[in-house]
Amino acid sequence: MTPAAYVYSIISDNIGDIPGIVPENIFTFYIDDSSVSSDVLVLITEDVGTGDDYGNDNVLYSNKRVQIDFYYPRDYVGDMDELERHLKQVLREHEVYCCSDAGHVLSLYSKNITNTLKFNFKMEV
């Protein structure tokens, strides 16, 4: 299973614990143009990992990193911080840890409010 698919499965299996997003608006690698919605869109992509962990000259774990981008409608009235806090909590319960939170910005081209979170975790080899 790819790192993006692994994180997607955690989020989709625990969607009830993350208020403000629905499974139909969670994507991996790209968002299809026909999927544009007036709701929050979540994009999961993979980022460069930090190498492997070894023991007795054998690979024990592979350190992986994923990036999750949020695309909020410009007129979004929900609590963005609460939604992201719940997502971080769900992933943390599965040993996927947030290591970077870029903060909310208004995109010049799409006019969406965006935020990028990066997460680290270990996958068994």
Side-chain angles (χ1 to χ4, degrees), residues 74 105-114:
R74 186 177 186 174
V105 294
L106 182 61
S107 171
L108 180 62
Y109 298 106
S110 69
K111 305 297 185 203
N112 286 354
I113 300 169
T114 64

Side-chain angles (χ1 to χ4, degrees), residues 5 12 20 23-24 37 48 50 57-58 62 83 104 116:
S12 64
E24 299 81 33
S37 169
V48 177
T50 58
D57 206 26
N58 294 315
S62 184
L83 186 156
H104 300 100
T116 300

Side-chain angles (χ1 to χ4, degrees), residues 34-81:
S34 65
S35 300
V36 175
S37 169
S38 61
D39 295 324
V40 178
L41 300 178
V42 178
L43 177 63
I44 305 167
T45 56
E46 296 176 9
D47 204 351
V48 177
T50 58
D52 299 326
D53 292 340
Y54 291 86
N56 293 328
D57 206 26
N58 294 315
V59 177
L60 301 175
Y61 297 99
S62 184
N63 296 302
K64 301 296 182 181
R65 180 175 283 176
V66 296
Q67 176 173 307
I68 299 180
D69 295 303
F70 293 89
Y71 297 90
Y72 298 95
R74 186 177 186 174
D75 57 352
Y76 187 71
V77 295
D79 189 338
M80 293 179 263
D81 286 332

Side-chain angles (χ1 to χ4, degrees), residues 71-105:
Y71 297 90
Y72 298 95
R74 186 177 186 174
D75 57 352
Y76 187 71
V77 295
D79 189 338
M80 293 179 263
D81 286 332
E82 181 180 352
L83 186 156
E84 293 164 12
R85 187 172 37 256
H86 283 282
L87 181 116
K88 289 176 187 177
Q89 180 178 349
V90 164
L91 292 175
R92 190 171 47 249
E93 290 169 357
H94 291 85
E95 298 180 357
V96 179
Y97 302 101
C98 186
C99 62
S100 176
D101 184 335
H104 300 100
V105 294

